[in-house]
Amino acid sequence: MKTIGGEAELQQDKYNTYFTDSGRSSLRLILRSLNLKLVALPDYLCSVITDVFVQEKTQFTYYKINNDLSIETSTIDDNCDAVYIIDYFGINHDYLRELPLVSDKIIIEDNVFSPYIENTLQLKKWISYNSYRKFSACAEGSLIKSNIELNSDLIHNLPAPFINAKYKAKRIKYEYLNRNLYSEENYLHQFKKGEELLDQQKEIFTISPQGFNQIIKFHESLVCENKQRDQNYQILKKWIVPVSFHIPDFKSFFVFSCENIQYIRKKLMNHKIFLARHWPNSYNISSSLYQNLLSIPLDPRYNKKDMERMSKIISKYLY
């Protein structure tokens, strides 16, 4: 007979879970918790990742990422004890499932473009983290899931110094866009100040109560948001060829390749379309991806009309 009533039961999670203030803090927690001698990094990555490895004095080598954002697995150094894998814009490297490297090495999965963190490859030595700042309106927050225990004592139980400037910038931008108050320079100045504080930060902090609240609100609306993102993605796909054949579960950005990236960005700015370039090649790594990729945000700020307008304008300069 089934028991009814009382406090609800809860199955124990088989993964360790941690929250930090940002993706780079999560990476610092991982590196400070593990004694890694050599980590294989992809040759297409945000320079902040490399910065953290250099600052944490963790040795690394590069492996090749193909033009479709897949991994050239033969270029991964056999001597490394960990492989850093980036799920570019939410793509899933499920083809790695049968390869020895996923069972022999520690896999650090950079999942900063997605709210979903799952051990889809069933890796035995697996750590993955995201960054809510990359795909939502949240100003802070990074979730880590791992079947390797990390040193949570390294996380300061305080909000990070950068968040006040970020929240102020977001509030001013809202007032500027919706109530015609302040100026563009006002919020750009605050965003820059927040980024400078984050760049200076070397300690690891937790999320503020405001940050937790924003993350909860984001997940509450996730079903509706996913529908809008899917619709936006499909509209763009009719006009523009995506760089990757893989369609992510959570569509953060629509990423496409173009040869004359500076020319196209400048032309688009005349139409009030400002597209992010992923990423600046601060370490002069020999990969053409740094010069060729642009991304279009897919979040619910933009509707069908916005996507169609962008599609027509961008395709005119691309093809």
Side-chain angles (χ1 to χ4, degrees):
M1 183 180 296
K2 185 174 182 178
T3 301
I4 298 175
E7 192 165 334
E9 71 278 12
L10 180 66
Q11 184 178 5
Q12 184 174 348
D13 195 333
K14 61 182 177 179
Y15 295 110
N16 302 296
T17 303
Y18 311 89
F19 272 105
T20 74
D21 60 276
S22 62
R24 65 187 77 183
S25 282
S26 289
L27 181 54
R28 290 188 194 280
L29 178 64
I30 294 165
L31 296 182
R32 291 177 187 180
S33 297
L34 305 177
N35 184 25
L36 299 174
K37 295 181 176 61
L38 181 68
V39 180
L41 297 179
D43 66 355
Y44 178 58
L45 76 173
C46 176
S47 60
V48 168
I49 298 168
T50 312
D51 290 342
V52 172
F53 271 82
V54 171
Q55 292 161 6
E56 298 299 321
K57 297 180 171 57
T58 302
Q59 297 297 312
F60 58 88
T61 184
Y62 290 117
Y63 62 85
K64 181 176 174 53
I65 296 297
N66 298 313
N67 288 336
D68 64 355
L69 300 179
S70 63
I71 297 171
E72 188 63 53
T73 55
S74 63
T75 63
I76 297 175
D77 192 332
D78 288 336
N79 295 316
C80 70
D81 48 0
V83 181
Y84 190 97
I85 293 174
I86 298 178
D87 292 349
Y88 296 103
F89 315 106
I91 70 171
N92 185 348
H93 298 288
D94 51 6
Y95 53 87
L96 299 177
R97 191 184 304 276
E98 305 301 324
L99 297 179
L101 76 89
V102 300
S103 58
D104 296 343
K105 313 288 186 183
I106 294 173
I107 302 299
I108 303 172
E109 186 180 17
D110 181 326
N111 211 6
V112 298
F113 290 103
S114 176
Y116 306 126
I117 302 182
E118 301 295 337
N119 188 0
T120 55
L121 300 179
Q122 295 300 301
L123 303 171
K124 295 177 182 177
K125 294 178 282 188
W126 170 80
I127 308 169
S128 183
Y129 70 96
N130 70 3
S131 175
Y132 282 91
R133 297 193 312 125
K134 301 295 184 185
F135 54 80
S136 75
C138 298
E140 55 180 315
S142 172
L143 169 63
I144 308 172
K145 293 180 76 172
S146 169
N147 50 24
I148 300 173
E149 188 173 355
L150 305 179
N151 185 2
S152 59
D153 291 338
L154 297 172
I155 305 173
H156 296 297
N157 192 27
L158 294 167
F162 75 89
I163 66 169
N164 287 337
K166 285 287 187 178
Y167 281 120
K168 185 175 181 179
K170 287 177 175 289
R171 178 182 60 80
I172 292 174
K173 184 174 183 180
Y174 179 87
E175 299 285 354
Y176 170 75
L177 294 175
N178 294 279
R179 297 176 182 172
N180 202 28
L181 300 175
Y182 301 102
S183 68
E184 193 174 45
E185 289 75 19
N186 291 144
Y187 70 77
L188 289 176
H189 171 74
Q190 288 298 322
F191 276 128
K192 182 180 179 182
K193 181 179 177 181
E195 283 300 315
E196 288 173 349
L197 289 169
L198 187 53
D199 288 339
Q200 296 165 12
Q201 179 182 313
K202 300 298 184 290
E203 294 304 306
I204 304 164
F205 296 89
T206 190
I207 309 176
S208 71
Q210 185 176 0
F212 272 117
N213 183 53
Q214 291 298 323
I215 289 172
I216 290 168
K217 288 172 66 176
F218 168 77
H219 280 279
E220 285 175 344
S221 63
L222 191 52
V223 173
C224 292
E225 177 156 329
N226 272 333
K227 285 185 67 175
Q228 183 68 55
R229 288 176 179 271
D230 289 344
Q231 177 180 287
N232 289 345
Y233 183 93
Q234 294 304 327
I235 292 170
L236 290 169
K237 195 177 178 183
K238 292 177 182 177
W239 295 82
I240 307 167
V241 178
V243 71
S244 174
F245 61 89
H246 180 92
I247 300 176
D249 293 331
F250 179 82
K251 299 170 181 64
S252 56
F253 292 91
F254 185 100
V255 184
F256 64 97
S257 178
C258 57
E259 292 183 1
N260 196 343
I261 196 168
Q262 289 300 97
Y263 167 80
I264 288 179
R265 288 186 80 200
K266 188 174 181 180
K267 287 292 185 182
L268 295 179
M269 287 177 188
N270 294 332
H271 299 273
K272 298 195 76 172
I273 300 173
F274 305 95
L275 299 187
R277 182 177 178 177
H278 296 277
W279 288 281
N281 190 4
S282 304
Y283 285 82
N284 296 317
I285 304 169
S286 59
S287 171
S288 61
L289 290 168
Y290 292 99
Q291 285 78 46
N292 296 339
L293 298 191
L294 284 177
S295 64
I296 303 170
L298 298 170
D299 60 83
R301 288 177 295 170
Y302 312 109
N303 56 28
K304 180 181 179 181
K305 185 178 180 181
D306 297 323
M307 291 295 120
E308 289 177 343
R309 181 178 80 89
M310 277 195 289
S311 297
K312 292 174 184 178
I313 294 170
I314 293 170
S315 62
K316 181 176 72 172
Y317 295 117
L318 276 182
Y319 310 115

